[in-house]
Amino acid sequence: RHATGTAVQGALFPMDLYETLTAQGDTVRSLKAQKSPKAEVDVAVQLLLQMKLDYKRLTGQDYKDGCPPADGEMVVDTGAALEEGDDQVDPWNVSSSSAKGVDYDKLIVRFGSSKIDQELVDRIARVTGKTPHRFLRRGIFFSHRDMHQILDTYKKQKSFYLYTGRGPSSEAMHVGHLIPFIFTKWLQDVFDVPLVIQMTDDEKYLWKDLSLDECHRYTVENARDIIACGFDMFFSVRASPSFYRNVVKVQKHVTFNQVKGIFGFTDSDCIGKVSFPAIQAAPSFSSSFPQIFGERTDVQCLIPCAIDQDPYFRMTRDVAPRIGYLKPALLHSTFFPALQGAQTKMSASDANSSIFLTDSAKQIKNKVNKHAFSGGKDTVEEHRKCGGNPDVDVSFMYLSFFLEDDDQLEKIRQEYSSGALLTGELKKSLIETLQPMIAAHQERRKLVTDEIVQQFMSPRKLHFNC
Amino acid sequence: RHATGTAVQGALFPMDLYETLTAQGDTVRSLKAQKSPKAEVDVAVQLLLQMKLDYKRLTGQDYKDGCPPADGEMVVDTGAALEEGDDQVDPWNVSSSSAKGVDYDKLIVRFGSSKIDQELVDRIARVTGKTPHRFLRRGIFFSHRDMHQILDTYKKQKSFYLYTGRGPSSEAMHVGHLIPFIFTKWLQDVFDVPLVIQMTDDEKYLWKDLSLDECHRYTVENARDIIACGFDMFFSVRASPSFYRNVVKVQKHVTFNQVKGIFGFTDSDCIGKVSFPAIQAAPSFSSSFPQIFGERTDVQCLIPCAIDQDPYFRMTRDVAPRIGYLKPALLHSTFFPALQGAQTKMSASDANSSIFLTDSAKQIKNKVNKHAFSGGKDTVEEHRKCGGNPDVDVSFMYLSFFLEDDDQLEKIRQEYSSGALLTGELKKSLIETLQPMIAAHQERRKLVTDEIVQQFMSPRKLHFNC
């Protein structure tokens, strides 16, 4: 699917490529000036050289510092630089050959995003006065675009808003699906900003062998779970003139060549798939929602999502300035591993591949005990002697998502690594963490009546003033 | 743009191709059996042979009578069979090298539609008990798809509905733009059925260098002219869940390959153009308008339009059965000639290329006298002696569109051909026909207040029961 590679992902225009390249040149110079370790300088230089090759290939001209390319020439994003051994990460496929899962540092370089480093986490803590969420403390949200800009906005007492989504491909959601919502809930609580959630039943209809009615039924069921997270939010609806205006604006500014490059579409794909990225993009612009933002087109958007959704928003960020809108900022999460291991994303159609939000306490216990891939040794004796490997142990990974107490998590890690803690004991910790969490969710979900769903699915006013 | 030709236009699936081919075989056999003139048989045989070649090329198998092709194999419509000397006719370009304009008989064969023959005109008269509209009597609406089926439906006291549209590319409409609306008004009066009109400001935005706001302003101004025609109708709106459902259904069932073949799109076209045909298609299905049709998905649609719009509806008719809907029927009109001659369609941006609905009596007189291409001779003496040519005379063509009295029109034709009627006198007849018609339109348009436009542009109930 990805025939040629580009070091700079998502660069649709020579000017973007030029600017990224210039920035990389600055990075190299500053690393050398600071006498940084040779290995670090080498990596940066290598990336710079690759970028220059790409620049030549895509623009037909040599890169020259201080000489920006002629305006308006179009360049095709050739998709993820998928080389032998690289992980595949796009909205429809995520796969890795390593038991530890996807190499996220490599992904940041390939996608051209920025790492959420300790400095950013500390700044979030300073600006909000709140302890950063465990997903930030533990690198589960690990990559971003323009988060510093969002914090600047917030510091100036100006508002922004959150946008995330869900493609409802089945009735039941699993705990992995909750990750963006748990984090979004924290963001809304901490920053006190509006939230839009887009349910892409159209996407599922276009990509899967499902009828529109099935997709709609899944949407309503999934909406119930999302509402149960306790948001003050607004479901994005297609049937709005303002939303459609922005869809058409995006559609006018993206060519088939571009979506072919970004998403790997082919001539045999249906025109629904080809134009769907515009539907995914539209909620990134505040003018899509006059019900929330009135006439304001300048409220910036922050999108928390798994990194596989980034191609949509690379495209959105490229289009935004050309239609007079702000680029959305992003916070990217890692993938939630399947019970069987971190090589693949979970499948909602395999009940044993994860813990579902509908699972009973007993089901949770059985699934974890029976299916969670263990990093422990074959025998108790060997385990006591050599210790387990938490880096590939799925129960430990799940705990790092859901156990709030950092000290306790670190203690488990150390004791499991040393062999003091056995696999069964580790699994017990996970079971005891998941059971009350899922039960509480189920209690909240029970309170979400059909009327409440109906109310949330209709355009509604939020309590926010923008 | 059209690299390869296909004798059978619009056939997206081998089965359609097979059926058309089989029907052509029957035609040839019946012509031979009736001992029809050799020339006629030859044309039919030649078309049959061309179809067999296409069949082989597109399905990869030889045509064999009685052996339908394997189901489900996809074939690409390769666009209009544009050969040297053929007229170009598609939604964006109409051109002909002949002063008489496009060769419509050839177009019927190329598009695979049916001629509106005397038998059909007579049947319309019989079934409705009304004199057929002058556009039918004079071959201005000259081609159709499934009109007999619509008459069958009507005879069984079952309802159908009308759908036509307007792409608002400028504020002012000219008399040529009125043709489909004049005819649609007659159809609604005669058959007493609901009417949906789609204003495609999105199309104009995608294809032209116009802002969405400009396109919207043109829409409102054009809507005023359309409302002034006196319809009981409903403007199709994008912002409706039912409409969007049908757009997505169509989008799922048409590939990029197909729109490339039908419309000549390229990889450099924006994804808005690529997916727009689904927007044009959706109003052909009654389930797009629950406000009119409730739950009914089986009310057939009849589309009166100029023949250049046919590619959209060839696609729509191919998709319809695959999403469980009825194929829309069509009535195709010829093109309205520019004042300067019939070689091209008029341009709304050239004020002298036609009579506009905003022209004063004086402007009409001046334009006709100054710009209407004449089929007369250079001197009065020569004209009296040899006579004029009404077939290339634009004033005569306009009269054939707007002068109701058949006898009077025929008298003008004969007298102009013989030389008894001079060009100035012919032009005077046209001026005297247009002036009261345009003045009456302007009077009716004045009555269309902003409130009335607003009311029509919102979803509304019609007086029809379906």
Side-chain angles (χ1 to χ4, degrees):
Chain A
R1 189 140 144 224
H2 302 286
T4 48
T6 317
V8 189
Q9 273 299 309
L12 295 181
F13 300 95
M15 189 50 95
D16 297 336
L17 215 55
Y18 173 82
E19 285 172 0
T20 320
L21 219 166
T22 307
Q24 183 65 16
D26 294 343
T27 304
V28 169
R29 269 186 295 280
S30 114
L31 285 173
K32 286 181 177 171
Q34 295 161 23
K35 308 216 181 294
S36 303
K38 186 176 177 302
E40 206 175 317
V41 177
D42 283 352
V43 167
V45 168
Q46 214 175 354
L47 184 60
L48 182 67
L49 292 176
Q50 182 57 48
M51 284 176 171
K52 286 189 176 174
L53 286 175
D54 287 340
Y55 187 86
K56 171 86 187 202
R57 180 166 58 79
L58 294 171
T59 68
Q61 38 191 292
D62 284 312
Y63 169 81
K64 267 173 79 180
D65 198 18
C67 302
D71 190 40
E73 289 169 307
M74 296 288 265
V75 167
V76 176
D77 179 321
T78 47
L82 209 61
E83 285 162 25
E84 196 61 32
D86 270 357
D87 304 317
Q88 186 176 4
V89 176
D90 66 44
W92 308 282
N93 294 291
V94 174
S95 66
S96 165
S97 49
S98 161
K100 293 185 192 172
V102 168
D103 184 333
Y104 292 107
D105 285 332
K106 249 179 142 177
L107 217 53
I108 286 175
V109 174
R110 231 167 77 202
F111 282 11
S113 62
S114 306
K115 195 179 168 84
I116 298 183
D117 52 16
Q118 195 53 47
E119 191 204 326
L120 178 55
V121 175
D122 291 346
R123 189 173 176 218
I124 291 172
R126 264 200 322 279
V127 168
T128 64
K130 301 273 162 59
T131 307
H133 191 271
R134 62 180 185 272
F135 291 170
L136 286 171
R137 303 197 304 266
R138 298 176 194 164
I140 287 170
F141 273 79
F142 71 103
S143 156
H144 77 102
R145 294 183 190 274
D146 289 343
M147 186 60 197
H148 280 290
Q149 198 179 315
I150 291 286
L151 293 175
D152 293 343
T153 300
Y154 181 75
K155 273 191 72 178
K156 286 184 209 142
Q157 317 267 328
K158 280 167 65 183
S159 192
F160 64 93
Y161 74 102
L162 300 165
Y163 156 37
T164 192
R166 160 106 191 107
S169 53
S170 75
E171 232 164 287
M173 285 167 66
H174 55 59
V175 284
H177 293 138
L178 275 190
I179 306 303
F181 295 111
I182 290 172
F183 191 58
T184 301
K185 170 73 179 143
W186 182 80
L187 289 169
Q188 181 168 53
D189 289 346
V190 162
F191 289 102
D192 193 34
V193 287
L195 163 64
V196 172
I197 292 180
Q198 177 151 282
M199 306 295 285
T200 52
D201 39 347
D202 38 7
E203 182 205 3
K204 292 303 161 193
Y205 171 72
L206 290 167
W207 263 268
K208 306 251 171 188
D209 188 21
L210 293 170
S211 73
L212 263 177
D213 287 332
E214 282 169 304
C215 293
H216 183 70
R217 195 161 53 79
Y218 297 162
T219 295
V220 173
E221 288 310 310
N222 288 189
R224 224 180 275 275
D225 281 307
I226 292 167
I227 294 166
C229 295
F231 299 119
D232 183 21
M233 55 92 183
F234 183 93
F235 280 113
S236 158
V237 278
R238 306 288 181 283
S240 137
S242 306
F243 189 87
Y244 183 67
R245 279 173 67 95
N246 280 341
V247 168
V248 177
K249 278 191 180 183
V250 173
Q251 285 183 341
K252 182 170 178 167
H253 293 85
V254 176
T255 68
F256 179 72
N257 257 329
Q258 290 169 337
V259 293
K260 196 156 89 173
I262 301 169
F263 303 101
F265 295 147
T266 72
D267 287 16
S268 305
D269 277 314
C270 72
I271 59 175
K273 289 186 184 179
V274 168
S275 59
F276 180 77
I279 301 275
Q280 189 88 337
S284 312
F285 308 124
S286 60
S287 59
S288 294
F289 307 107
Q291 309 91 331
I292 310 177
F293 302 106
E295 301 277 300
R296 293 191 57 183
T297 61
D298 62 339
V299 186
Q300 198 177 2
C301 177
L302 171 64
I303 305 171
C305 64
I307 186 98
D308 60 337
Q309 299 300 301
D310 189 63
Y312 284 123
F313 302 113
R314 285 204 297 270
M315 185 199 84
T316 306
R317 287 169 52 90
D318 272 304
V319 170
R322 291 185 290 137
I323 56 176
Y325 293 145
L326 293 172
K327 291 183 181 191
L330 285 125
L331 289 169
H332 298 123
S333 76
T334 61
F335 304 113
F336 189 78
L339 279 174
Q340 285 74 14
Q343 277 94 334
T344 57
K345 228 178 147 186
M346 276 165 306
S347 157
S349 54
D350 178 359
N352 288 326
S353 73
S354 188
I355 305 299
F356 282 75
L357 300 183
T358 45
D359 284 347
S360 65
K362 203 175 150 197
Q363 283 173 312
I364 294 171
K365 187 179 165 195
N366 287 342
K367 277 191 191 179
V368 170
N369 282 332
K370 197 163 166 192
H371 297 289
F373 181 79
S374 167
K377 294 294 179 291
D378 288 346
T379 63
V380 173
E381 291 68 35
E382 207 190 332
H383 189 85
R384 293 279 188 222
K385 196 173 137 205
C386 310
N389 180 1
D391 290 344
V392 301
D393 189 286
V394 170
S395 300
F396 184 80
M397 290 182 198
Y398 276 32
L399 277 174
S400 70
F401 276 87
F402 298 116
L403 187 66
E404 178 57 30
D405 188 325
D406 291 341
D407 295 338
Q408 202 186 335
L409 185 71
E410 178 54 23
K411 187 161 168 267
I412 290 173
R413 203 188 63 75
Q414 285 180 7
E415 292 186 359
Y416 191 64
S417 301
S418 75
L421 194 72
L422 295 176
T423 294
E425 293 163 331
L426 173 62
K427 287 193 171 189
K428 189 156 173 282
S429 289
L430 175 61
I431 291 163
E432 285 169 358
T433 303
L434 286 178
Q435 281 173 337
M437 183 185 110
I438 301 290
H441 179 86
Q442 290 169 352
E443 282 308 308
R444 286 196 306 272
R445 193 183 194 275
K446 266 188 213 156
L447 303 176
V448 183
T449 60
D450 290 349
E451 290 70 44
I452 293 177
V453 173
Q454 189 51 48
Q455 194 190 320
F456 268 94
M457 303 285 279
S458 314
R460 60 195 289 268
K461 268 226 147 305
L462 302 187
H463 84 262
F464 295 92
N465 279 323
C466 281
Chain B
R1 188 136 147 227
H2 302 287
T4 47
T6 318
V8 189
Q9 275 297 311
L12 295 182
F13 300 94
M15 189 48 96
D16 297 337
L17 216 55
Y18 174 82
E19 284 172 0
T20 321
L21 218 167
T22 305
Q24 184 66 16
D26 293 343
T27 305
V28 168
R29 270 186 294 279
S30 114
L31 286 172
K32 286 181 176 170
Q34 294 160 23
K35 307 218 180 292
S36 302
K38 187 175 175 306
E40 207 175 316
V41 177
D42 284 352
V43 167
V45 168
Q46 215 174 353
L47 184 60
L48 181 67
L49 291 175
Q50 182 58 48
M51 282 177 173
K52 286 190 176 172
L53 286 174
D54 288 341
Y55 187 86
K56 170 88 188 203
R57 180 167 58 79
L58 294 172
T59 68
Q61 40 192 291
D62 284 312
Y63 169 80
K64 266 173 77 181
D65 198 15
C67 302
D71 191 41
E73 291 170 305
M74 296 288 267
V75 168
V76 177
D77 179 321
T78 49
L82 209 62
E83 286 162 23
E84 195 63 31
D86 270 358
D87 304 317
Q88 186 177 4
V89 176
D90 65 44
W92 308 281
N93 294 290
V94 174
S95 67
S96 165
S97 48
S98 160
K100 292 183 191 171
V102 169
D103 185 332
Y104 292 106
D105 285 332
K106 250 180 141 175
L107 217 52
I108 286 175
V109 174
R110 232 169 74 203
F111 282 12
S113 62
S114 306
K115 195 180 167 83
I116 297 183
D117 52 15
Q118 195 53 47
E119 190 203 326
L120 177 55
V121 175
D122 291 346
R123 192 176 172 215
I124 291 172
R126 265 199 324 276
V127 167
T128 65
K130 302 273 161 59
T131 307
H133 191 271
R134 62 180 185 271
F135 291 171
L136 286 171
R137 302 195 306 265
R138 297 173 194 165
I140 287 170
F141 273 78
F142 72 102
S143 156
H144 76 102
R145 294 183 190 274
D146 289 342
M147 186 60 195
H148 281 291
Q149 198 180 316
I150 291 287
L151 294 174
D152 293 344
T153 299
Y154 181 75
K155 273 191 71 179
K156 286 184 208 144
Q157 318 267 331
K158 281 167 64 184
S159 193
F160 63 94
Y161 74 103
L162 300 164
Y163 156 38
T164 192
R166 159 107 190 106
S169 53
S170 76
E171 230 164 287
M173 285 167 65
H174 55 59
V175 285
H177 293 138
L178 275 190
I179 306 304
F181 295 111
I182 290 172
F183 190 58
T184 300
K185 170 74 177 142
W186 181 81
L187 289 170
Q188 181 168 53
D189 290 347
V190 163
F191 288 102
D192 193 33
V193 286
L195 164 64
V196 172
I197 292 179
Q198 177 151 283
M199 306 295 283
T200 53
D201 39 347
D202 38 7
E203 182 205 2
K204 292 302 159 194
Y205 170 72
L206 290 166
W207 263 268
K208 306 250 171 190
D209 188 20
L210 293 169
S211 73
L212 263 177
D213 287 334
E214 282 170 304
C215 293
H216 182 71
R217 195 160 53 80
Y218 297 162
T219 295
V220 173
E221 287 310 311
N222 287 190
R224 223 181 275 276
D225 281 307
I226 292 167
I227 293 166
C229 295
F231 298 118
D232 182 23
M233 55 91 182
F234 183 94
F235 280 113
S236 158
V237 277
R238 306 288 181 283
S240 137
S242 306
F243 189 87
Y244 183 66
R245 278 173 67 94
N246 280 342
V247 168
V248 177
K249 278 190 180 184
V250 173
Q251 284 183 341
K252 183 170 179 168
H253 292 86
V254 176
T255 68
F256 179 72
N257 257 328
Q258 290 169 336
V259 294
K260 195 157 90 171
I262 301 169
F263 302 101
F265 296 146
T266 71
D267 287 14
S268 305
D269 276 314
C270 72
I271 59 175
K273 289 186 184 180
V274 168
S275 59
F276 180 77
I279 302 274
Q280 188 88 339
S284 312
F285 307 123
S286 60
S287 58
S288 295
F289 307 107
Q291 309 91 330
I292 310 177
F293 302 106
E295 301 279 297
R296 293 191 57 182
T297 60
D298 63 339
V299 186
Q300 199 177 2
C301 176
L302 172 63
I303 304 170
C305 63
I307 186 97
D308 60 338
Q309 300 299 303
D310 189 62
Y312 284 123
F313 302 113
R314 285 204 296 270
M315 184 200 85
T316 307
R317 287 169 53 89
D318 273 304
V319 170
R322 290 185 289 137
I323 57 177
Y325 294 145
L326 293 172
K327 292 183 181 192
L330 286 124
L331 290 169
H332 298 124
S333 76
T334 62
F335 303 113
F336 190 78
L339 279 172
Q340 286 74 14
Q343 278 95 334
T344 57
K345 230 178 147 185
M346 276 164 309
S347 157
S349 55
D350 178 0
N352 288 328
S353 73
S354 187
I355 306 300
F356 282 74
L357 300 182
T358 45
D359 285 347
S360 66
K362 202 175 152 195
Q363 283 174 312
I364 294 171
K365 188 178 164 193
N366 287 343
K367 278 191 189 179
V368 171
N369 282 332
K370 198 164 166 190
H371 297 288
F373 181 79
S374 168
K377 294 294 180 293
D378 287 346
T379 65
V380 173
E381 293 67 34
E382 208 191 331
H383 189 85
R384 292 280 187 217
K385 198 175 133 202
C386 311
N389 181 2
D391 291 343
V392 301
D393 189 287
V394 170
S395 300
F396 184 79
M397 290 180 197
Y398 276 32
L399 277 174
S400 70
F401 275 86
F402 298 116
L403 187 66
E404 178 58 31
D405 188 324
D406 291 341
D407 294 338
Q408 203 187 334
L409 184 71
E410 178 55 22
K411 188 163 167 266
I412 290 172
R413 202 188 63 75
Q414 286 181 6
E415 292 186 359
Y416 191 64
S417 301
S418 75
L421 195 72
L422 295 175
T423 293
E425 293 162 332
L426 171 63
K427 287 193 169 187
K428 189 157 174 281
S429 289
L430 175 62
I431 291 162
E432 286 170 357
T433 303
L434 286 177
Q435 281 173 337
M437 184 186 107
I438 301 290
H441 179 86
Q442 289 168 354
E443 282 309 306
R444 286 196 307 271
R445 192 181 194 276
K446 265 187 212 156
L447 302 177
V448 183
T449 61
D450 290 349
E451 290 72 44
I452 293 177
V453 174
Q454 188 51 49
Q455 193 189 318
F456 267 94
M457 303 285 278
S458 313
R460 61 195 289 267
K461 267 226 147 304
L462 303 185
H463 84 262
F464 295 92
N465 279 321
C466 281

